[in-house]
Amino acid sequence: MISPPIADGLNEKQQQSVVLSEDVNALILAGAGSGKTRVLTHRIHYLVSEKNHHVDDILAVTFTNKAANEMKERLTNLLRQPIGRMWVGTFHSLAHRLLRTHPLEVKLSPTFQILDSQDQFRIVKRLMKENGIDETKFPIRKVQWFINQQKDEGILPQNIDAGYNFFVKQSAKVFDLYEKHCQANDLVDFAGLLVKSYELLKNNQNLLDYYQKKFCHILVDEFQDTNRIQYQFIKILHNQNNHVFCVGDDDQSIYGWRGARVENIQKIENDFKPIIVIKLEQNYRSTGNILSASNALIAKNQNRLEKSLWTESGDGDLINIFNARTETQEAQYVVSEIENHFNQGKNLSECAILYRSNAQSRVFEESLIKRNINYRIYGGLRFFERAEIKDAMGYIRLAENISDNIAFERVVNFPTRGIGISTIEKIRSHAVENHTDLFQSSIAIIESLPARAGNALQGFIHLIEALIDSTKNLTLSEKVDSTLLQSGLMTHYANDKTDKAGSKRENLDELVTAAKQYVHENESEMNETQGFIALATLDSSGESNQSSQESVQLMTVHSAKGLEFPVVFLVGLEEDLFPSRQSKDEPHLLDEERRLCYVGMTRAMQSLTLSYASRRFLHGQSFYSLNSRFLDEIPKSFLNYIKNPNSDYTTTAYEDVKSSPQKMVSTLSSSIYSIGQVVNHAKFGHGTILNYEGSGDSMRLQIKFQKAGTKWLISSYAKLEIV
DNA sequence: ACCAGGACAATTTTT
DNA sequence: TTGTCCTGGT
C-alpha cells in the first residue's frame, strides 16, 4: 500500500498509525518500548512527503526539551530538509513563542521576562513578608506549590473557594498578590506561559482562527502527562478542520502529583470526535521475562486502558531479587554486579541504578568511588540554575533589558559593592511610587542618598552603562566573556579561597562555551541575546546533546522515563520507600507508585535486578523495613532469588522482630545489654541505652550520653562498661 | 559584610 | 544524616 521509506522498518500497527486518514483524530496507546517516537516522527514525515503538507502546517508538542530535541533531530534526518522554525517544542516553549509574537494582546510588553521557580520563590517570600503572613505557619514552598497547582488547573485567585480552610484562604490571598505583582512587573511564570497563551487564543477570535487554520495537524507526545491547562490549550486549537494525533500510555503516567491528569487520555475520546484508537503492543526493548513480570505488576492497577505488551525476543534471564541486610550491603552488591557486567564486556554506560528518591544515591556513590568506577548522577541543580550562572545571566539580562528588575536585584550588590538593604529599599519604593524600573529609580534617588551609598550605587550604574556600551557590537559569546570580566564575577571567584570557587569558575567558563554553541534562529521574535536568555530559563539543563560517557547512570525512576538500559538495578524496593510512605494509604497514589515501579522495570532490556534492604538508615535514623508489596505482586516464576552470603537472618526472622517490639527486647536480653541500662564509654562518659539493632558482633547500640548527645555505636568496638 | 551555629525538614521534577 | 535557611554576633 505505501511505499518505503515511510513504511520502512515499521510493524503493521505502527504503519497503520502513520498513514491514518487525515480526516480523523487519533489516539495511539503506545506501550513501553513500542516505538512511539518513531510513529510520531514518521507520521510527520508521511504528512509532509505524501500529503504535501508544509512543515509549518504542523504543531508537535512534547513535555521535555530532551524529547523535543530528539524529535527535531530525527525529523531533520527523516525529512531531509531543514525544519528551521517548525513548531516543534515543549508546551512551554511553544506557548512562549506565541506570547512573544502577541505580547500586547495579553497585556505584556515585548520584553516581558520569564520567572523560573527560584525567582518565583523569592517573590512569594517577599510578598508574604510584606503582608505579614507568617511563614512558619504557611511555608513558602507550600504556598508556591499551591499557586502553581491552581495555575496548572487554570484557576484564578478570585475563583478559589477557600471555605474554612485557613491555609487555602491565606494562600489564595498570596496568589492574588502574586498575580498582581507579576502583572505589574511584566513577569510570567512557567504555568503563566500556558495560562496566558490559552487566554490569548480564547479572547482573540481572529488569532484563534488563524492558528486553527495554520495548524492542520497537532501532534502531542506523552499525552498522559498533560495537565488541565495543557489539555485546554490543545482543545482550543482544535476545530472541525484540523486534527490531533496523540500518543501516550496511561500505564506510564507518573506525574499526577504535578497536575498531570491521566483522565485526559480517556477524555480525549469524547472531546475529539471522530477519533481512532490504535494500540501499539509489540515491545522492542525487553526480554520476555522482564516484560511478563512488568505486565503482571501493572495488571494490579484498576481503571486501565488495558494493553498487553508482547515481544518476539526470547524469555531471557529471570529477574534477580536481592535482599540486602542494609542499604550499604545493597550498594555493595549492586556495584559488584556492575563490576561483573563490566568484566564480561559490558560498557559502564549500559548499566543504570534507579531509585525512588534522590537521597538513596549516596550509598551507591560511595561504593562506586571505593571501587573506582565512573558514574554519572542525574538530578540536583542544573546548569542554568546554579547561583554563579544565574548571577552572570543577571548581568547579561540587565544589560539587554535595563528594566529587568529581577536581574537588577540579583546583581546590584553581587559581588558586594556596598549597596545595602536600606538603599535597595529606597530604590524599590521609589520605583513603585513612580511606576518605573529599579534602574531608573537608582539614577533618580542617587542625590538623596548618603555619600557612601550614593557612590556605591553610582559605581553600579556606571558599570552597567559601560557594560551595555562596550558589549553592544560583540558576538554573543564575546559578550558573555566580557560580561564575566567587567562585572567582577571572575575576580570575585579568583579571590575566593573556598573549595567551591574552582568549580564555579569552571562553570562560568562553561557559560561562554554554552553561548558559543547556542544556535539562534534568525526569524525569531527575539534577538540572539534574548533567545539565549529565554533558553536559559526554559531549558535549564544546559546540555547540548552530549553523549553520555563511560559511566554508570544513577537517577530516580522518574528521570529514567523514556530511557532504556541493557542492565538495570531497581533498588530500595521496600514498603514506605517504594511505595513511598506518603502514597501507600491512598489508592490512587499507590497506583501511581505501581506505575512508577512499572516504568522502572520496563527500562531494562536484558538484565533486571530488584533489591531491597531489611534495615535502612534514613534521615539519620535506622529503620527496619519490609520488602515492597510490588515484589509480592510479581509471580515467582519470573524471579530468581539471590542468596545473600552475609545475611545473618532470613526475611521471616526479621519480620518477627519488626512486627513485635517486645521481641526486640527479648532478643536483646539474651545479650549483656538491655534498654534503659546505664553504661560508661571511654570517651563519651555515662549514657543510657535507648535502642539497639542487630545482634552479636554487628550489634549497634543507640546511647544517649549525658554530655556527648545520642549516638549509635557498634557494641564490639565501643568497649562499654555496664554501670 | 561575613560567619558560625541553631532550627527544621527530608518523594518524585519540568518548564 | 544531610542540606538549607535564618539569626545573631562580631
Side-chain angles (χ1 to χ4, degrees):
Chain A
M1 243 187 23
I2 51 165
S3 53
I6 307 269
D8 228 15
L10 296 180
N11 69 32
E12 197 191 324
K13 284 288 171 83
Q14 291 175 329
Q15 279 184 37
Q16 253 181 47
S17 317
V18 166
V19 303
L20 268 181
S21 146
E22 285 195 76
D23 307 326
V24 292
N25 298 306
L27 171 60
I28 312 298
L29 290 172
S34 65
K36 74 181 165 63
T37 313
R38 240 188 126 83
V39 166
L40 223 35
T41 48
H42 281 256
R43 172 71 175 172
I44 295 174
H45 183 202
Y46 170 76
L47 292 171
V48 172
S49 56
E50 300 284 313
K51 294 290 163 180
N52 298 317
H53 278 289
H54 191 265
V55 289
D56 285 350
D57 302 346
I58 294 166
L59 175 72
V61 196
T62 64
F63 277 81
T64 61
N65 289 294
K66 203 167 151 193
N69 291 335
E70 189 183 334
M71 178 147 7
K72 281 181 196 163
E73 198 181 308
R74 290 212 207 176
L75 282 175
T76 314
N77 293 334
L78 217 50
L79 299 178
R80 294 210 215 103
Q81 58 164 293
I83 56 166
R85 302 230 60 219
M86 185 179 172
W87 287 75
V88 181
T90 63
F91 272 102
H92 297 267
S93 69
L94 297 172
H96 178 232
R97 188 165 160 191
L98 272 180
L99 297 183
R100 284 279 176 218
T101 318
H102 314 282
L104 304 179
E105 286 85 339
V106 282
K107 300 196 191 91
L108 289 170
S109 85
T111 56
F112 72 87
Q113 291 301 311
I114 309 169
L115 284 181
D116 67 14
S117 18
Q118 288 179 33
D119 301 333
Q120 189 187 40
F121 182 89
R122 274 167 231 239
I123 291 174
V124 171
K125 183 173 167 180
R126 216 170 82 207
L127 289 173
M128 283 175 67
K129 216 166 224 171
E130 284 171 7
N131 290 278
I133 295 171
D134 186 357
E135 54 178 85
T136 54
K137 285 204 193 93
F138 308 98
I140 303 160
R141 292 258 162 242
K142 294 215 167 114
V143 177
Q144 182 190 16
W145 180 257
F146 173 88
I147 291 172
N148 288 329
Q149 235 176 1
Q150 304 308 312
K151 296 187 82 165
D152 282 342
E153 293 280 307
I155 299 171
L156 300 169
Q158 55 269 31
N159 298 336
I160 295 170
D161 175 23
Y164 294 102
N165 187 324
F166 203 49
F167 176 79
V168 174
K169 216 169 173 175
Q170 290 294 295
S171 301
K173 189 174 150 196
V174 181
F175 184 16
D176 191 38
L177 292 165
Y178 169 79
E179 284 297 296
K180 287 182 176 135
H181 178 94
C182 290
Q183 193 56 252
N185 289 276
D186 213 20
L187 298 169
V188 186
D189 59 27
F190 289 131
L193 291 171
L194 284 154
V195 174
K196 289 213 185 295
S197 297
Y198 176 71
E199 281 170 2
L200 175 76
L201 297 172
K202 202 175 94 186
N203 302 331
N204 294 277
Q205 192 58 45
N206 55 334
L207 280 182
L208 181 61
D209 290 343
Y210 171 79
Y211 282 106
Q212 282 179 337
K213 198 165 171 200
K214 172 177 171 61
F215 297 129
C216 306
H217 291 279
I218 300 167
L219 297 92
V220 189
D221 191 15
E222 305 273 24
F223 202 83
Q224 76 281 354
D225 288 339
T226 45
N227 62 30
R228 204 159 138 214
I229 189 73
Q230 287 161 341
Y231 188 86
Q232 287 176 328
F233 180 73
I234 296 295
K235 200 174 157 194
I236 200 172
L237 274 174
H238 171 62
N239 70 357
Q240 290 313 304
N241 303 314
N242 66 16
H243 298 93
V244 299
F245 186 92
C246 305
V247 182
D249 180 4
D250 54 325
D251 289 334
Q252 290 187 72
S253 159
I254 54 175
Y255 287 108
W257 51 275
R258 198 167 80 183
R261 302 291 198 93
V262 210
E263 312 90 81
N264 284 346
I265 213 167
Q266 284 147 354
K267 253 170 83 183
I268 194 177
E269 294 188 53
N270 297 319
D271 287 353
F272 296 80
K273 282 179 179 161
I275 189 164
I276 286 188
V277 180
I278 295 178
K279 293 182 184 181
L280 301 181
E281 298 177 299
Q282 181 174 2
N283 172 294
Y284 294 95
R285 179 184 296 154
S286 313
T287 62
N289 281 326
I290 293 172
L291 209 52
S292 307
S294 310
N295 279 340
L297 176 75
I298 200 66
K300 302 280 177 192
N301 271 6
Q302 307 293 314
N303 302 326
R304 304 172 50 224
L305 304 166
E306 302 254 338
K307 257 183 290 84
S308 69
L309 291 185
W310 58 279
T311 176
E312 275 177 358
S313 67
D315 286 347
D317 295 337
L318 291 172
I319 293 164
N320 297 316
I321 304 273
F322 183 72
N323 173 16
R325 261 183 315 120
T326 63
E327 79 283 352
T328 320
Q329 201 205 3
E330 180 186 43
Q332 284 165 355
Y333 173 76
V334 167
V335 171
S336 70
E337 282 303 296
I338 287 174
E339 253 176 351
N340 288 342
H341 281 288
F342 180 69
N343 292 335
Q344 283 160 30
K346 278 246 161 31
N347 196 312
L348 286 180
S349 61
E350 292 177 271
C351 303
I353 304 175
L354 309 182
Y355 34 77
R356 175 69 241 264
S357 75
N358 284 310
Q360 290 168 255
S361 68
R362 246 196 55 207
V363 227
F364 291 95
E365 267 190 273
E366 284 162 7
S367 206
L368 287 160
I369 290 171
K370 216 178 262 174
R371 311 263 193 123
N372 228 345
I373 297 174
N374 288 338
Y375 64 89
R376 167 154 186 218
I377 293 202
Y378 292 77
L381 268 197
R382 313 239 287 301
F383 183 73
F384 282 107
E385 290 168 352
R386 292 169 196 277
E388 63 276 19
I389 299 300
K390 291 205 66 166
D391 292 333
M393 291 305 292
Y395 281 98
I396 293 163
R397 282 169 59 168
L398 192 56
E400 178 62 33
N401 173 8
I402 204 68
S403 32
D404 187 334
N405 289 346
I406 300 275
F408 180 97
E409 294 231 15
R410 177 130 203 146
V411 299
V412 66
N413 197 33
F414 191 84
T416 47
R417 46 175 74 85
I419 300 172
I421 313 232
S422 65
T423 307
I424 294 174
E425 286 292 348
K426 282 177 199 157
I427 301 171
R428 271 191 207 140
S429 49
H430 181 275
V432 173
E433 282 159 25
N434 296 278
H435 302 286
T436 181
D437 58 63
L438 297 176
F439 195 82
Q440 298 307 329
S441 299
S442 303
I443 296 172
I445 67 160
I446 211 150
E447 295 294 318
S448 68
L449 289 174
R452 224 166 111 162
N455 287 336
L457 192 56
Q458 190 59 257
F460 179 67
I461 293 166
H462 284 325
L463 167 64
I464 298 301
E465 282 169 346
L467 190 59
I468 294 170
D469 196 50
S470 66
T471 57
K472 63 181 176 221
N473 294 322
L474 299 181
T475 66
L476 179 63
S477 67
E478 287 167 349
K479 191 186 259 187
V480 173
D481 199 15
S482 170
T483 302
L484 293 179
L485 293 174
Q486 290 189 57
S487 65
L489 280 173
M490 271 305 185
T491 332
H492 176 262
Y493 289 114
N495 296 333
D496 186 339
K497 298 279 184 291
T498 55
D499 45 358
K500 281 176 189 149
S503 82
K504 297 199 171 194
R505 277 201 307 274
E506 280 171 26
N507 284 336
L508 290 175
D509 286 334
E510 194 56 36
L511 183 62
V512 181
T513 313
K516 260 183 209 148
Q517 288 170 349
Y518 171 68
V519 185
H520 187 62
E521 282 161 354
N522 285 325
E523 311 123 81
S524 169
E525 303 74 19
M526 299 172 283
N527 70 33
E528 189 181 25
T529 307
Q530 291 163 344
F532 185 63
I533 292 167
L535 178 87
T537 358
L538 288 175
D539 183 3
S540 52
S541 70
E543 271 167 36
S544 52
N545 292 340
Q546 46 169 267
S547 53
S548 54
Q549 312 118 350
E550 286 283 296
S551 45
V552 180
Q553 313 284 303
L554 278 74
M555 66 190 88
T556 63
V557 183
H558 279 97
S559 32
K561 196 172 86 159
L563 305 177
E564 60 181 24
F565 308 93
V567 179
V568 168
F569 297 87
L570 185 55
V571 303
L573 279 156
E574 293 140 40
E575 283 294 297
D576 288 356
L577 187 61
F578 199 177
S580 90
R581 197 166 53 84
Q582 292 96 320
S583 307
K584 65 172 179 180
D585 295 322
E586 271 213 65
H588 76 278
L589 295 181
L590 182 66
D591 282 358
E592 183 155 310
E593 296 282 316
R594 193 177 282 107
R595 291 194 291 268
L596 190 56
C597 187
Y598 172 79
V599 167
M601 290 172 70
T602 51
R603 299 309 96 198
M605 298 161 81
Q606 294 142 26
S607 163
L608 173 62
T609 301
L610 309 175
S611 66
Y612 64 102
S614 298
R615 182 157 36 90
R616 178 175 296 275
F617 220 73
L618 207 64
H619 309 325
Q621 257 197 310
S622 182
F623 296 95
Y624 284 100
S625 41
L626 294 167
N627 72 272
S628 168
R629 68 191 72 188
F630 300 148
L631 291 178
D632 301 328
E633 291 171 0
I634 302 171
K636 300 272 179 290
S637 55
F638 302 123
L639 303 179
N640 168 40
Y641 287 87
I642 307 283
K643 235 178 121 183
N644 184 342
N646 297 328
S647 189
D648 50 359
Y649 43 64
T650 63
T651 308
T652 42
Y654 111 78
E655 273 173 8
D656 281 344
V657 172
K658 154 93 192 186
S659 55
S660 60
Q662 294 88 341
K663 274 235 170 77
M664 291 169 69
V665 179
S666 71
T667 317
L668 183 61
S669 64
S670 68
S671 82
I672 56 169
Y673 304 110
S674 64
I675 286 175
Q677 199 168 40
V678 179
V679 292
N680 187 42
H681 183 272
K683 215 194 225 156
F684 303 133
H686 280 32
T688 313
I689 297 181
L690 296 180
N691 201 355
Y692 87 105
E693 298 164 358
S695 58
D697 277 357
S698 65
M699 181 160 87
R700 304 191 334 132
L701 297 162
Q702 189 188 33
I703 301 168
K704 186 181 182 183
F705 291 103
Q706 282 161 10
K707 288 183 188 143
T710 305
K711 295 188 184 303
W712 280 97
L713 301 172
I714 295 168
S715 68
S716 54
Y717 290 102
K719 288 180 199 140
L720 294 168
E721 225 182 285
I722 295 170
V723 178

